[in-house]
Amino acid sequence: MEIKIPIGPQHPALKEPISLRVTVDGEHIKDVDIRLGYNHRGLEKLAEQKNWVQNIYVMERICGICSHSHTTCYVQAVEQIQGLEVPKRGLYIRTLVAELERVHSHLLWLGVAGHETGFDTFFMYTWRDREIVMDILEIISGNRVHYAINSIGGVRRDISEEQKKLILGSLDTLIKRTEYYANIGTIEPTFVARLDGVGPLSKEQATSLCAVGPVLRASGVANDVRKDDPYAVYDELPFEVATATSGDVLGRVIVRVKELLESYKMIEYLLKNIPEGPISVRAPRKIKPGEAISRYEAPRGEDLHYVKSNGGDKPERLKVRAPTLANYPATVVMLKNMFIADIPIIFAAIDPCVCCAERTVQLIDTKRGDKVMRFSELRKMSIDFYKKMDLSKKGNLWKL
Amino acid sequence: MKEDLIIKQLTEKFGSGISETSNPSPRRMFATVNKEILNEVIKYLRDTFNFYHLSTITGVDKGDFELNYHFANELTCVTLRVTVPRAEPNINSICEVIPGAVLYEREIQDMYGIKVANIPDGRPLVTSDDWPEDNYPLRKDWTFERPKEVIPGEQNGD
Amino acid sequence: METLKDIIFILIYPGLFFLLSYSLFVEWVDRKVYARLQNRYGPLHTGFAGMLQPTADFIKLMFKEDIVPEKADKFMFSALPIFGLAIVATSSLFLPVWHYTAQTSFVSFSGDLIVAVYLLSLATLVLFLAGWHSTSPFATIGGVRVITMLFGYEIPFLLALLGPAILADSWRMMNIAAFYQQTPVLLLVNIIGFFVALISLQAKLERCPFDIPHAETEIVGGTFTEYSGRKLAFFKLMTSIEMVVGSGLIAVVFMGGFPGGFWIGMAHFVVKTTFIVILLAFIRALCSRIRVEQVVTFSWRYLTPIAILQILIVILVKAYIN
């Protein structure tokens, strides 16, 4: 008996609206149809009405997880059209944030993979450690999600010696824990049973369907924009392209964990070798006429921006191709002849985007006058507050 | 340079079909291609230089439409430009050469109203099911008019 | 006097009242242990250390809107939650919770072990019917998964319970418990069967790694997709009670029952079942969900042969003793 089940636009397995219409026979998937467009916001049209600087922030809001990827990609294209030479230190900071973003995105993905296969403990652990990266990013840029660190011609914030030390300190914890997760992800029998051989994608299929990023690399193609088309300071960085040959979800997990470990090495190198000097150059309000293609290896794969300028203060055309879109045709192939139980994990294996939460850094006390607090103080205060509290007493909690 | 080699071989092979080649920066190459021979050029690039990966198709409204096919391999990135007249917006699908192009062609159909012939799956991709006919958002002469909101289940217009 | 005693037995202890409150307590233990293993706090605010949270959840669900889908079989859809709750509550009557010399449980007869196991299987069937009568695709798939899994774990569960019963030479729970209280050393013989029964019970309760029929990320709510409000609350309660009865059953058969009269017997019951619930929470935290066909393969390839091995060991030991 064949029945059609709708996965999405609202479904617990999906973090963003997309519709998979799956025809199943018992537990077997016979056919899949993907319907997009639930989240189409017309950003390309909007970009034509904003000026060059405003567009950085529009690009940042394409996606919550790879916000830095989109801005860097856009800013690179604009700099290329204008012929701006970004100072080395600026490029180093840009690359540092990019790699930290990759770490946070991949840790997030590991957690999602755990959650989709019902391994919630793994999910809780990886997301706990993701907080460390988020805190580092907050130290560097002042924000956890939309870092807003790029500007045309460089970056907006410098990093100090103390910050460097702090980041290197937290990095040790992260490396230790990631090795532990690599161990769990490849040894825990129930987890491996869910991943091994699931969502197969051969090398030929992956290349012909134009897959990108970890999906392509897990099929044995060592394709990485950072190596093939080096931007920022990637031509100076020592790193290896992580690949796997199995072409299944397990391979994609392995690729991502390997990339995490490579990223830690890169972050360490970047922090130890960052040159002195200015962090940005001034960019004019109007950009010369011209066009440029900028490619960027986002955590999810190749991100491409095509920017065309007609000499005004607004772009003539700005085309964004986010990596997830390129992986949809491959997803349909991966899903065929699998089980219903595999839908979430196969779909999650291409790492579709997810957005993050808001938070406060300021506390206003109306009785004692306005008071602005640093976040660290606020955090310390909250820890002390809860430590002092007698949890056994009824009604002691939620007292404000 | 790899780009020079590609330009040279392309012009040798296709002659007048290829015009306006340029190489503005390292690892970037542009070539304008006649609409009719697009599939052959792509096939030739794919088989000779390993350009299996189509990054995306960008449409630009310059009066007439210009489609940019961005290809990439391990060494360089080639962009083929095709001009599609506004009066007759038609182009052939490249899906038989590059199967992964289908989503980008569907997007072009939605956004510019360019009819892609022989496309394996021609349904709208990003526009909603109740999107009005002949509205192509990325054309420069298109302006946004908020449609009247209809709440499902209620009588229309109440 | 006897009638009054029976009524107290059914309504207060170890009947409905005790069963309800204890199952909610067990749910709290499960949630708390699971949360601590995941580096979380778990319930914290309602009652002492969040002990009343399951009760609060239950009461909240009772007040929620109760929706019956238009296409569902209205009678079956509404009757099944109550039916399921009744079945698991009935099966608890067979547990020898009182001291074992006089009246050990409300009904005690030769073969009550089989009846209890049968009633627990019936509860699974109720889940299948609930999924089937909801008529939504997710619920139907969930219902089919319930039945598919049943073929996997039911046999090893029964075989695992069979071993100790053979050794004790009785099908009566009270006699089995009494036998092991006299010679506690023999409990060690059944240690393999204990783990088989534990894993099968986990599957019976549909908890991770066997939470396939209502795998949230795959088929939304599975069997419970269309259920809401009171009916869902009954189903949740049914699962909790099933957990108490199932761990009680294992405690009777593998851990020597609950000797020592009213108070000590109750202490035995609480300690032993809580211990089993904590073990179940450990399994839940340490595994990822497996696929339905992997459950069947796993239970027929590993669990059933191990259970049979256990029975062989038991038979050899029995021959040696005699």
Side-chain angles (χ1 to χ4, degrees), chain A residues 101-156:
Chain A
E101 185 189 68
R102 196 181 312 280
V103 170
H104 115 70
S105 172
H106 281 352
L107 280 176
L108 178 136
W109 183 83
L110 280 178
V112 170
H115 177 66
E116 305 285 21
T117 54
F119 196 4
D120 278 347
T121 313
F122 195 52
F123 163 66
M124 296 290 171
Y125 273 62
T126 48
W127 279 43
R128 174 193 66 189
D129 294 338
R130 180 170 161 263
E131 286 300 309
I132 300 174
V133 195
M134 303 289 261
D135 286 347
I136 295 176
L137 282 166
E138 190 180 20
I139 287 169
I140 295 176
S141 69
N143 283 319
R144 277 156 58 96
V145 179
H146 294 302
Y147 320 115
I149 199 157
N150 277 323
S151 67
I152 297 171
V155 291
R156 290 175 58 234

Side-chain angles (χ1 to χ4, degrees), chain A residues 281-299:
Chain A
V281 290
R282 229 186 130 68
R285 283 186 64 85
K286 288 184 176 175
I287 302 293
K288 284 188 221 163
E291 59 184 340
I293 297 159
S294 170
R295 291 167 79 209
Y296 178 99
E297 184 71 22

Side-chain angles (χ1 to χ4, degrees), chain A residues 338-372:
Chain A
M338 286 283 121
F339 294 97
I340 295 177
D342 299 326
I343 298 172
I345 183 65
I346 294 175
F347 189 68
I350 68 166
D351 200 358
C353 289
V354 191
C355 261
C356 283
E358 62 186 308
R359 57 206 289 260
T360 173
V361 287
Q362 190 179 320
L363 194 76
I364 298 168
D365 190 342
T366 43
K367 277 182 202 155
R368 278 164 288 177
D370 286 13
K371 191 177 170 194
V372 179

Side-chain angles (χ1 to χ4, degrees), chain C residues 80 84 87-88 117-131 142-143 145-151 153-154 203-206 213 223 235 238 242:
Chain C
L80 280 169
I87 288 172
V88 286
V117 172
Y118 164 75
L119 283 175
L120 286 183
S121 309
L122 217 56
T124 315
L125 200 69
V126 164
L127 289 184
F128 161 71
L129 288 174
R145 284 178 172 194
V146 169
I147 286 296
T148 319
M149 256 176 54
L150 185 73
F151 291 121
Y153 62 76
E154 200 59 34
K204 205 185 232 327
L205 296 173
E206 290 168 10
T223 38
F235 268 134
M238 172 190 148
E242 207 181 344

Side-chain angles (χ1 to χ4, degrees), chain A residues 52 81-84 284 286-291 308-312:
Chain A
W52 295 102
I81 299 174
Q82 182 65 21
L84 286 173
K286 288 184 176 175
I287 302 293
K288 284 188 221 163
E291 59 184 340
K308 190 175 173 67
S309 163
N310 53 6

Side-chain angles (χ1 to χ4, degrees), chain A residues 41-75:
Chain A
R41 291 157 291 172
L43 277 169
E44 290 177 14
K45 190 77 178 174
L46 178 69
E48 288 170 14
Q49 284 137 33
K50 303 268 176 208
N51 68 31
W52 295 102
V53 177
Q54 285 172 328
N55 267 330
I56 302 176
Y57 304 99
V58 174
M59 290 303 111
E60 190 130 46
R61 274 142 190 85
I62 288 177
C63 167
I65 304 297
C66 33
S67 56
H68 186 72
S69 310
H70 285 290
T71 52
T72 313
C73 201
Y74 163 74
V75 157

